[in-house]
Amino acid sequence: MTTPSAGPAAPALPISTRKVALLLAMASMTGPFAVDMYLPAFHEMERSLKTTPYMMQLSMTVFFIGMAVMALFHGAISDFVGRRPVIITALSVYALASAACALADNIQVLLFFRLVQGLTSTAGFIVGRALVRDLFDGPDAQRLQSQQTMIFGIAPIVAPILGGVIIRYAPWQAVFWVLTGLATFAMLLQWRYLPEGLPPEKRHRFSFSALMRNYLDVFLKPQFQVIAFGNAFIHVAVMVYILAAPAMVMTHLKLGEQGFHWVFVPSMGGIMLGAALSGRLAGKLKPVRQTMLGVLLAFLGVSVNVLVNYFFLPPSVPVHVMPLFLYACGMGLCLPPIQLHLMDYYPAIRGACTSMLSFTQMTVVAFVSGLLIPQISGSALSLAVTQWCLCVIGALA
């Protein structure tokens, strides 16, 4: 097995590491905000756009398809032009697409601009991971990755709660106007403060054939395939309840538009706690041991979830949502060392590595969103069993 290389020494930073973590987290929040904030508006949008629940679910699926497709290019392009230009340009286009969603008067227009949102929403997350590895080594990189994950975890908690408040007092279009404003604000902050991690002398000359060679170099390594798909399935297991949140909250738990926090707070709170533990353990516990500890904790969470949903019906809070916290905590603990370890196999093309890693992850999420969620969201037990199966696949990898 090839031994990963940490690459060249990191450059000095003009701003503090916490500010870097905050900036990258803000750039990454566009994705979860676009997914979670409009969930409480599903029913109102169905009526306003004269469409069906299936088409509304499709608005989420096309978003993830866009994320998966562009995940192939954000990181790789940043290897050619630098990290800053990719993040700033993507945030600008995302803001315009959000405004277009607010102006949509039919489901077809909404679907198109949801696709554009998806195409641009992964830049902060993907390029940000490469930037972290550009600027920091070893435990420092893991600590910053963990700090970024902790701040990033706030978005899925706040987004559905904020969406519920907006829907209570304003039409659904207001959700997308808020997304427009947040993306514009984040773009201005990146333009003003975000450092560049890849100086011109370390960039590659853009070539489509070189891009394809980089992808093949990354994807054909068995280490990448195993780790990337393990990462994807562990991640998508928590996404089951995010993607099925309208059914879980309104149908199974019988809560209204203001009840989405019962799903999102345990899930994202667990990720944030796991990420905090990951940062604390950086340099103290070997990454492989930390990964296994996180995987075991996640497996315990999904197993408890299945038992709760089998023996305690009908679903109720907090009994049916607390296992989500346990799983998410394990996920937050194991993913930072997994992702950093994988990037160390490709020190010269980290952008391409993060692109392929995110493409794998988003492809699995799009598959689950489009094909599995409509089939399993009718039963809380089906959701629990599906999450268990996805976790086991990821744990085995």
Side-chain angles (χ1 to χ4, degrees), residues 287-345:
V288 65
R289 292 185 179 275
Q290 182 178 319
T291 299
M292 294 309 300
L293 178 62
V295 168
L296 289 173
L297 189 61
F299 178 74
L300 177 61
V302 292
S303 299
V304 171
N305 193 33
V306 170
L307 293 175
V308 165
N309 279 276
Y310 184 80
F311 289 106
F312 298 93
L313 291 173
S316 60
V317 293
V319 175
H320 281 73
V321 296
M322 291 316 296
L324 301 181
F325 175 84
L326 191 59
Y327 175 80
C329 186
M331 171 184 158
L333 181 61
C334 72
L335 290 191
I338 289 175
Q339 295 165 357
L340 289 170
H341 178 78
L342 187 59
M343 280 187 283
D344 283 344
Y345 283 102

Side-chain angles (χ1 to χ4, degrees), residues 53 71 165 167 272 281 308 320 324 376 392:
V165 172
I167 292 303
M272 293 171 69
L281 293 173
V308 165
H320 281 73
L324 301 181
I376 65 174
V392 168

Side-chain angles (χ1 to χ4, degrees), residues 348-367:
I349 50 172
R350 290 188 184 118
C353 177
T354 57
S355 280
M356 288 300 295
L357 181 64
S358 295
F359 173 77
T360 305
Q361 183 171 302
M362 290 303 106
T363 300
V364 173
V365 171
F367 172 82

Side-chain angles (χ1 to χ4, degrees), residues 1 4 18 36 95 100 132 147 151 169 180 199 227 241 267 292 359:
M1 180 179 289
R18 289 190 178 183
D36 304 331
V132 167
Q147 290 175 9
I151 302 169
Y169 298 104
T180 303
I227 297 173
Y241 282 88
S267 299
M292 294 309 300
F359 173 77

Side-chain angles (χ1 to χ4, degrees), residues 202-217:
K202 294 183 179 178
R203 297 173 191 173
H204 305 276
R205 179 177 298 178
F206 182 79
S207 165
F208 185 77
S209 60
L211 186 63
M212 292 301 104
R213 284 197 301 271
N214 287 348
Y215 284 147
L216 287 175
D217 184 38

Side-chain angles (χ1 to χ4, degrees), residues 222-247:
Q223 295 99 325
F224 175 86
Q225 295 171 12
V226 174
I227 297 173
F229 279 100
N231 172 84
F233 279 96
I234 289 173
H235 174 81
V236 80
V238 81
M239 289 296 294
V240 166
Y241 282 88
I242 306 301
L243 298 170

Side-chain angles (χ1 to χ4, degrees), residues 60-74:
M60 188 176 292
T61 301
V62 297
F63 178 86
F64 284 116
I65 290 173
M67 292 180 77
V69 170
M70 203 60 195
L72 283 172
F73 298 99
H74 283 311

